[in-house]
Amino acid sequence: MATAKYSRVDGRKLSYCSTAAIVVFVAFCLVGVWMFMSSSVVPVQSSELSSQETGNEEKQTLQESVSKQFDDTSGDVSEDATREDGTSLPKVFGNTDEESSNSAEENREENHGNESSDEKIESENEQKTVDGTDGNGDGEDGETNSREGGPNLENGQAELEESSDGKNYDEASEDKIKHVYKEAIFTEDKNGNNQDENSEQSAVENTESEENNQTSNEVLPAAAQSEILTESTTQIGDWSTQAEESQNEKKSHQSSKSSENNGHQWKVCKSTAGPDYIPCLDNWQVIRKLPSTKHYEHRERHCPDEAPTCLVPLPEGYKCSIKWPKSRDKIWYYNVPHTKLAEVKGHQNWVKVTGEYLTFPGGGTQFKNGALHYIDFIQKSVPEIAWGKRSRVILDVGCGVASFGGYLFERDVIAMSFAPKDEHEAQVQFALERGIPAISNVMGTKRLPFPSSVFDLVHCARCRVPWHVEGGKLLLELNRILRPGGYFVWSATPVYQKLPEDVGIWQEMSQLTKSMCWDLVTVKKDRLNAVGAAIYRKPTSNDCYNKRSKNVPPLCEESDDPNAAWNVPLQACMHKVPEDSTERGSLWPAQWPERLEQPPYWLNSQIGVYGKVAQEDFTADYNHWKTVVSQSYLNGMGIDWSSVRNVMDMKAVYGGFAAALKDLKVWVMNVVPIDSPDTLPVIYERGLFGIHHDWCESYNTYPRTYDVLHADHLFSSIQKRCKLVTVIAEVDRILRPEGKLIVRDTAETISEVESMAKSLQWEIRMIYSKDSEGFLCVHKKFWRPTEEEPIKSAIV
């Protein structure tokens, strides 16, 4: 560079006779200048090192401040991302191509190393000028850092040291924290994979513009803003687990820790079900050997001995799902390319094929003229039902395509809809693709995976369930899960038709419901749809039970736990109604939405999951998730929540995460693992719904079901019983392409999940660690491997 600097001297017009003398003179000058420059540069470098050493205390304080901004109440940040001096830094990725990011960084370092000392000083001054002018990392360098996802913290620290002449340290620290955080924000790609560089730059600028008008959102909220919640008492105190409650559950898998790395070789599942593969419902190896199918045993769960680790293929022509509320009326045909229901039920307005769409007129077998009219018909028949106030959480048995539940959202009601995976091809899959809650399940030989006394109302519209047979065993199961004082709406031909078969069923149902002490509130006919409905009410006391002349159906034994629901055989008996005012079920919950925030009255003196008095535990959990969701999830991770509809909390406690999302147009399936404290009754009490599940097995839903999965310290607990790779394969199965997985767990587990996510070609949207705890947000893509893995159990 010195030669270049002095080349202007060589270019002067000189006589040819003096050229040799001048060359010699210039050479001596160059040597002299080089010696002078060397002696002047070395002190500058020493000064920089000295400045860095004397500023260690300030930088340490800054890093602690940054860490606190990224902290949250659970201490769920880990120590993975650290600087050489030991201070914690956020580790954020915005580019899925790690090699590209590393290559860019190496090029910058190489170019930096080739600069002369003068240019190094000049470059640093120019960088400081840019930082000082832009403030938030805008400009050319700022854009590069935002796109690559790596905050330029070293430059930021140098900037901070220089800031003492213009502002005090505290102000500089605050600005730097905001600068670091803004670089950690990633804007949602609203146009899928086709967004160009200009739109990405615009999104980043818009995000930063919003930040200037509000307090900085935090990747993980500060600990001072909500309480630290650690499940330190999950195995003691008053909380039992489904594993303890259920006497006939499956044996736990042997402890085995995943050792997968970024090089895990994924394969595509080859099965008869193809893109619709549900491992525990498509186990033909077991189904073919069943001695009987009389009680729908072939529709129940039969999980393979080894959970699959392959990936379910995508249907040909699959597209990102249509957003709610448009999805309620139409979906892409190629996402669920099944036409049987359109052919069989088209005249009942279930579903129709319309060009590249499947459309849903909102009808059903009992409400061909639309679900809203039918919903209003029920309300007028029994005004006390009070949709959206008294009746908030309902169960829809044999839901079809779940139009009933889909339209109940307009009445502030959420419906747990279910139907079997049977000859009514893809009915539950249609519901889920539309954005309506539903699971694949059947009333067969086992209890439904719900606690007792949790549903405000149970609905059956021609659900084809033989309620009256075998001592009313199936109707008695509804009695178990229906709240005392709750309603059963039965809309079926025996109610309003006079055919001999219908008359016989009505007589048997009348005797059965009377012996169960159910009160027949009314029988009404809907003239528009030419159907009728009988509406029953469950008793709120045991007086009727005690007055019966015959103990038929019998009362259950005192030792029978009504809340045990995981793999528990059905029994034809009734549990007594709780009458003590301190017991759950003795009083009706507060009306919606007040019940969402109020601790249940029966959470009195017992100890909560986090070790506090239960009601205080409940409130702390709610405050915790309100803070996390509002200051982190909604604005800090680049998730476009307007495109989110189906959400699952894979390890719910009190339902605080779902409660914090109340104002969004989403629904949340709260899953309480069977080896976690059985808090599912609390979730229902506050007007939310959920289900018991063992994550060492497949979940009863179709592939590509959910937009967002949330796992708070789930994976580390799962590793005690089964391989993490099987759970990640299940996550991939039920998460839609372009869906997001949010993980909060130990740093070690976060590292394993990150590695497997990369091997799945997922985009790492955000990762952060501190104090052995971590946080990860990943974005699933459309990638599928090319090699297949035949699933013997799933091939007919």
Side-chain angles (χ1 to χ4, degrees), residues 246-367:
S246 303
Q247 300 298 319
N248 295 282
E249 73 209 20
K250 292 193 173 201
K251 293 182 179 179
S252 298
H253 294 268
Q254 295 295 324
S255 176
S256 178
K257 190 173 182 179
S258 173
S259 59
E260 289 74 25
N261 52 39
N262 195 26
H264 183 82
Q265 298 299 312
W266 299 100
K267 298 180 182 180
V268 171
C269 301
K270 183 178 181 181
S271 67
T272 300
D276 301 334
Y277 176 45
I278 305 176
C280 291
L281 299 182
D282 292 318
N283 189 353
W284 292 100
Q285 202 170 53
V286 172
I287 293 173
R288 284 196 299 261
K289 297 178 182 178
L290 291 173
S292 171
T293 59
K294 179 182 178 181
H295 298 97
Y296 298 91
E297 293 92 340
H298 57 304
R299 308 297 185 193
E300 294 183 323
R301 291 172 59 83
H302 302 285
C303 298
D305 294 334
E306 292 290 334
T309 58
C310 53
L311 308 181
V312 175
L314 296 178
E316 185 176 352
Y318 181 86
K319 300 180 181 181
C320 287
S321 300
I322 295 173
K323 294 182 181 179
W324 181 270
K326 291 183 179 179
S327 63
R328 187 179 66 180
D329 301 323
K330 65 179 182 180
I331 63 174
W332 296 114
Y333 166 77
Y334 284 108
N335 286 15
V336 192
H338 301 297
T339 59
K340 184 174 181 178
L341 274 181
E343 297 166 1
V344 176
K345 299 291 185 179
H347 66 288
Q348 296 176 351
N349 287 333
W350 279 32
V351 56
K352 298 179 181 294
V353 180
T354 309
E356 60 181 346
Y357 300 104
L358 290 166
T359 57
F360 301 85
T365 303
Q366 298 297 95
F367 42 92

Side-chain angles (χ1 to χ4, degrees), residues 4-55:
K5 182 176 181 180
Y6 288 99
S7 63
R8 293 189 297 272
V9 177
D10 297 334
R12 294 175 182 175
K13 293 182 179 181
L14 300 174
S15 61
Y16 290 102
C17 63
S18 62
T19 299
I22 291 174
V23 168
V24 173
F25 175 76
V26 169
F28 278 102
C29 288
L30 289 174
V31 173
V33 170
W34 178 80
M35 294 176 64
F36 174 77
M37 289 175 62
S38 300
S39 63
S40 64
V41 169
V42 170
V44 172
Q45 292 174 335
S46 300
S47 175
E48 288 178 352
L49 292 173
S50 176
S51 174
Q52 290 177 357
E53 291 173 357
T54 56

Side-chain angles (χ1 to χ4, degrees), residues 340-406:
K340 184 174 181 178
L341 274 181
E343 297 166 1
V344 176
K345 299 291 185 179
H347 66 288
Q348 296 176 351
N349 287 333
W350 279 32
V351 56
K352 298 179 181 294
V353 180
T354 309
E356 60 181 346
Y357 300 104
L358 290 166
T359 57
F360 301 85
T365 303
Q366 298 297 95
F367 42 92
K368 290 178 287 187
N369 293 288
L372 280 177
H373 169 79
Y374 178 73
I375 290 168
D376 290 337
F377 157 70
I378 294 173
Q379 173 74 74
K380 292 176 182 177
S381 299
V382 181
E384 289 78 10
I385 286 176
W387 294 127
K389 294 181 179 179
R390 184 183 188 272
S391 297
R392 160 66 181 174
V393 187
I394 77 165
L395 181 71
D396 188 16
V397 183
C399 61
V401 296
S403 289
F404 180 66

